[in-house]
Structure formats: structure tokens, C-alpha cells
Amino acid sequence: MRTLLLLAVVTAVAQAATRPTIEEARKFVDDAEKQLLVLGIEGGRADWVKSTYITDDTEALAAKADERGINATVDFAKGSAKFKDTPLPEDIERKLKLLRLALTVATPSNPKDSEELTRIVAGMEGTYGKGKYCAQADHCLDLEDLTKVMAESRDPKQLLDAWVGWHAIAKPIREPFARYVELANKGARELGFADTGAMWREKYDMPPDAFAKELDRLWEQVRPLYLSLHAYVRGRLRERYGAAVVPANGPIPAHLLGNMWAQSWENIYPLVEPKDSGPGYDLTQILKTRNTDAKEMVRYGERFFTSLGFAPLPTTFWERSLFTKPRDREVVCHASAWDIDYVEDLRIKMCIDITADDFLTIHHELGHNFYQRAYDKQPFLFRDSANDGFHEAVGDTIALSVTPAYLVKIGLLQTVPDPSKDISLLLHKALEKIAFLPFGLMIDQWRWKVFAGEITPEQYNRAWWELRLKYQGIAPPVARSETDFDPAAKYHVAANVPYARYFLADILQFQFHRALAGISGCRDPLNRCSIYGNQEAGRRLNTMLTMGASRPWPSALAELTGSRQMDARAIIDYFAPLQKWLDQQNKGKPVGW
Ligand code: X8Z
Ligand code: ZN
């Protein structure tokens, strides 16, 4: 017994002598932060130019710059393994962990593979960005034109034409996508992950399987509400388009929901609004009538944040952002927010239309920018959100405060509609937020299976529509086959952006909104609460944002809401009156598909 103990002590001492010290770990992390900052800035600049001026050259230059940054991150992630037996202070431990999880795509060590992979990723985004539907050779429609058709047209033939036309742009992405899956998985495996999907799932401060279960749990909480909305909308669309187009108890055809991906349905609000009353105002019309321009739209968003006590955006934001679609060059129009130097060089890139949709999206984008600035004093590896759902939720939380009363306050609306209009307003919001939930979930259900090899290239499209059916209850409007590649007709699939974050954000933003509404002293129903002008709410929000990624996300969540759990009760409470109303409308009608 005594000999054994002695042996254990001797071994421990020997190990301690050979394993790297805390000081070495600290130096390793400092070096990584210095180098990755420089490479991140270079990559950001190259990406910005590529995304705002798509050519073969800018694509190649951006791919090269990205490759340098990704390779360096991979090297540091691999190098961090040598500290696994060194007991480390919490901050270093967390930074090493974040280093290993920083990438959405890991390059394999073979230089040929790594170059090919980064070229493919840049190329797929470029193909998407340049996508056009040319019904005639001299008349092409881009995604902005087609988005307008999907939102405004009520002619099923025209909607179908736009839908099919856009989905065709994704066909050429199928082959490179399959290769990207192969190479990205190779890179992920070199880092010790089972595949790229497993790497994505591990980012949430819990075991990856537990995270997948967490998503299922949240979905089960909100599914009844989605089913009620789906049944109600299907019934109204059937009245509108007829029994030949919309089935009584089957899935809704994907081209009738006002959006290219049927991901949010607010554009068909006029088709489904309560028969006895509308919402009483139309923000798109108001903005158009006032001749509001793109910059002014962004100013409205900025003023909301400054009303909470955030500092105004820097002058360079206004000089360097892209607010409108240029006429003479190809750009990636999908909205995004940037933080080029990780400190002050904030920008958005967005082809703004003067619509209520884009008015809200601007708040979404600025949420990213104000978050980025809030955590800019953190060490480099902590300059990120608590989890990626938080990043997506901040601007949307603010947008939930864009209530009629707020619009009156800023002079866009004359009078606040009376409470009898609340069901209409809630229905409009539900078409945006509840309709989105299954879509937000299914995209990565598909990709996780693809990365895991459970969905092979021969099954890409079929599996996609199986999940669309299972979660959303929608069906393709025409027969599809494996010559199609419908997943890549969605930006985030073509551009390698994980999507579970938007599902999380949809849930989290209501938790944030409820907490902030409480802090601001609002006692009204949550849909009537706006935190505009409330500095205390701003201060509390800022406290959470300032933490960046320095602590596991439950701590950030607790900081604002007092709870360490993501929880769908806030979104369910918000829509409770609507759920009741929907159930009345659906009485005696089929629910589900
Ligand atoms: O991609 C976005 C933002 C940029 S992070 C405009 N969103 C998702 C989408 O458009 O599919 C916001 C909501 C969901
Ligand atoms: Zn976003």
C-alpha cells in the first residue's frame, strides 16, 4: 500500500515536471490572440471587398486571406492540446476551449485540401450572391426582385414562377457542396470532432448531445402554438386560393406564404387578418409616404439604441457601410453586420428596401454592432457573444419594442390603435416569429445529418423536403428531384453559416424582452411594452453584452433575466391571447398534416 502511494506521488511529480506550466499556457494564449487579431482584420477586409464587389479576383483574394486565418486558428487549436494536463486558471482554460471551437469550418492540414476548401466556401457564397432568374435572356430578376414578388403577388402562377426560378440558382452548388462536406469533415476530424456538425453543436457550454436535446425540448414547448397557427393560415389560404391549391389537412404549398423559403409569413398578413379588424396601420406605407430613405431608416434604429444610453455609431459606420444595392456590380445582398477591426470599424451591409420588414432587420443588424462594441474591451478571444443565439437575439429584442406606442412617440404614427386591435398585432408578430421556429430548427437538422453522413448526396433534396414536411408542414409546389439542390437556395447553407442560432434567438429574444420590460416597469401585456428611452433597461442590457464570451452563456443569461435556462415560456406567454383566439378559429377544423 505504502509503495503504491509512493509510486503515485513519484509519477505525479514527474508529470508535473514535464507538463507545460501555467506561464507557458498564458504566453500561448497571448500569442494566439495577437496573431488571430491581425489575421482576422486582414480576412475581414478581404471579405468585405468580396461581398460588396463579387468578382473572380476578390473571391480568390478573400479565400486566401480566410485560409490564412483559418489555418492559424487550426494550428493554435491543435497546439492547445499540450496543456490538457496542466491545471489552469479559469480564463485561460476558457480561452483554450474557445480557440478549439472558434471555427465554423476547419481546414485540413494538407495545403491542397485547405486551399480547395476555402475556395469552395467563397465560391458557393459568390454563386448565391450573383444568382438570377432570367425568364428571358434580356430580363433577369435577382433575389431582391423575386423577394418582392413573393411578398406582394397573390397570383399562384406568378408565385410559382418566381419560386422555381430562384431555386434553380442552387443547382450548380450541389457538387461543390458535397466536396465541401467531405473536406470540412476532414478538417473537423483532425481537430478531434466526429464531424463538422458535432463541432458546431459543441459550442454551447454543454455536451453536444445535450444541446440537441435542449433544442428538442424548446421545440416541444412551442410546437402546439405553431400547429394552431399553421392550421389557421392553411384554412384562410384555402379560402383564398381554393381547394385545388391548398389541401384541407395536408401541408401548405411553399410558394404561398409570402417568403421565398416560407420561413416567416408576415407578408401574407392581409390574406389572413381577422375578419372583423386589421392592425390599424401599415408601417411600409407610412415609411414610403414619408419618402424615408435607406440612411434615415438606419438612423431610426440607431436612435433606439442611443435612447437606451448606448453611444452613437462612429462616423466611419456611415461612411463605410453599404445601405443600398449598387446598380453596377454584384454584391452579396443578404444583410450582415461587421466589426472589421474588432473595436470601432463597425459596418452593416444591406440592400435596404423601404419596408416594415427591413425596418425591423435594421434593428437586428444594429443589435450585432452594439453587441460588438459592448464587448470590445474584452481580450480578443472573448470578443464574441455568450452563444451565437445571443448575437442574433439582441437586435430582435429591440425590434420587439417597436410597438405602436413607440411609433407614435417617434412621430411615425398618429394614434395608438386601441386594445381591440391586439389580436391583429399579435397575429402579425406570430406570422413573423412563430412561423419561423420550425424553419430555424430544420436547417441544421438537415446539415447535422449531412455532415454525419446520415444523409448522402444522393438524398440531399429528398431529405430536405422530408424535414420541411416534418417540422414546417409545407410541401414543394412542384415535383422535385435530385437534380435540384433546394437547401442551397437559402443563403446560410450556401455560405456555411450555422442556423440553430436563429432558432435560439427566436426563443431568447422573448426572454430578454420580458426581463427588460420588467426592468423598465412596464405592467401592460408584453406585446405593448417598449423599452424605448429607458436607461435602466439599457444599462442592464449593456451589462450582459459587455461580458462577451468571457463566461458560459447561462451566466450571461442569468445576468439579465435571473434564469440560467433557455425557456420558451416567455414567447408562449407573449402569444397566449392569440393562442386562445386561434383555437376558437380552428374549432372543428383539421390541425396538423
Ligand atoms: O440572416 C439573418 C440576418 C443576418 S444575421 C439578416 N437572419 C436569418 C435569415 O434571414 O434567414 C435573421 C433572421 C433569420
Ligand atoms: Zn444576424
Side-chain angles (χ1 to χ4, degrees), residues 334-337 364-365 368 391-393 396 492 501-502:
H334 191 88
S336 52
H364 174 98
E365 296 309 330
H368 288 305
H391 230 309
E392 299 304 335
D396 282 8
H492 304 69
R501 55 182 65 175
Y502 300 105

Side-chain angles (χ1 to χ4, degrees), residues 527-563:
N527 65 306
R528 290 196 164 252
C529 290
S530 176
I531 62 165
Y532 179 70
N534 193 289
Q535 305 257 328
E536 180 56 15
R539 195 186 62 73
R540 287 290 301 278
L541 176 62
N542 189 48
T543 306
M544 177 177 80
L545 303 188
T546 308
M547 292 166 74
S550 64
R551 313 267 311 127
W553 65 260
S555 304
L557 185 59
E559 175 63 43
L560 179 59
T561 69
S563 163

